[in-house]
Amino acid sequence: GFLFTGHSETLNGLSVPLKAVAHTVYQKDASAANLPQNLPIITLKPAELYVSDQPAIIRTVLGSCVAVTMFDRRLGVAAMCHALLPQSNEAIDNNATFQGNPLYKYVNSVIPLMLSRLQEFGSEIKDLEVKLFGGADMLTIRTGNTNFQPDGRSNIDAVLQAIKSNRLELAVSDVGGHTGRKILFYTQTGAVLLKRIKSGMESGWGA
């Protein structure tokens, strides 16, 4: 797996079971001890959103879907979504529960909802560290048909547009390709562990 930190972050000088493989990218050192396991683990299913100021590990599995994480280091507040499709034409419902809003399926609606939840904690846009993962092209490799715009690419483009329109800045991204991704998001630090998986079947979110 890989750990993606923000551009201004570093693990230099810290005693952690990770080794640097590129700028702001670290890989788990197999010879070192496992990462701490005493945090609650929350499984984020497709079309769900999680926002909290409590330490936890949020996990999900992505194929053509995308996950966006937002972290406010000043307040210690974090959010993560798992969106399936780029766009919905339905009105945004800011009063829906975290798991009860069908608009969490769509990139163009879930990003504003994430921001709204974070702003309820007092977050400001300038303080948010944003990361983007997923958007693999699973259908082309399965069918060999290249005559269409893959869902993964459409999802990536939708996130980039939402980031721009909401005046956010993207700190880290790992997107596209033809393999799935397993994501672990540490809400107390904003760090993300990523593992590539051969199967893009998103039904494996609970593994």
Side-chain angles (χ1 to χ4, degrees):
F2 295 89
L3 170 67
F4 294 79
T5 63
H7 291 299
S8 62
E9 299 172 329
T10 178
L11 299 183
N12 294 339
L14 298 180
S15 178
V16 293
L18 301 167
K19 60 182 179 181
V21 295
H23 180 56
T24 74
V25 181
Y26 299 82
Q27 187 172 26
K28 187 176 179 181
D29 187 348
S31 63
N34 291 332
L35 291 171
Q37 298 296 315
N38 57 345
L39 295 174
I41 297 176
I42 297 163
T43 298
L44 194 71
K45 301 177 186 178
E48 285 190 347
L49 168 66
Y50 183 85
V51 185
S52 179
D53 60 355
Q54 298 300 310
I57 300 172
I58 308 176
R59 66 179 181 181
T60 199
V61 171
L62 304 166
S64 61
C65 291
V66 288
V68 176
T69 67
M70 297 185 187
F71 179 63
D72 184 335
R73 192 173 303 279
R74 178 176 62 89
L75 297 178
V77 182
M80 181 175 179
C81 70
H82 183 149
L84 287 79
L85 296 169
Q87 186 169 344
S88 168
N89 295 321
E90 299 179 42
I92 296 175
D93 180 5
N94 284 308
N95 297 315
T97 61
F98 284 161
Q99 281 75 33
N101 194 333
L103 295 181
Y104 295 159
K105 285 178 59 176
Y106 304 100
V107 171
N108 76 317
S109 53
V110 74
I111 299 297
L113 288 169
M114 289 178 74
L115 288 173
S116 177
R117 299 285 191 240
L118 288 166
Q119 288 167 345
E120 290 176 5
F121 283 91
S123 293
E124 300 180 20
I125 286 178
K126 65 181 179 63
D127 295 323
L128 295 177
E129 179 182 88
V130 183
K131 300 178 183 180
L132 165 63
F133 304 95
D137 177 7
M138 308 309 300
L139 290 178
T140 297
I141 196 170
R142 291 176 187 169
T143 66
N145 184 358
T146 60
N147 297 319
F148 60 88
Q149 170 83 335
D151 286 341
R153 182 68 254 176
S154 298
N155 285 334
I156 295 167
D157 290 343
V159 173
L160 296 178
Q161 178 58 44
I163 286 173
K164 180 180 179 180
S165 62
N166 287 282
R167 308 186 312 280
L168 296 163
E169 292 188 10
L170 185 63
V172 173
S173 67
D174 188 274
V175 296
H178 299 288
T179 59
R181 295 166 171 86
K182 186 170 186 177
I183 301 293
L184 297 178
F185 177 44
Y186 289 75
T187 64
Q188 82 277 27
T189 66
V192 175
L193 281 174
L194 180 151
K195 180 179 180 181
R196 302 190 192 284
I197 51 178
K198 293 181 179 180
S199 173
M201 296 300 294
E202 296 179 31
S203 59
W205 56 262

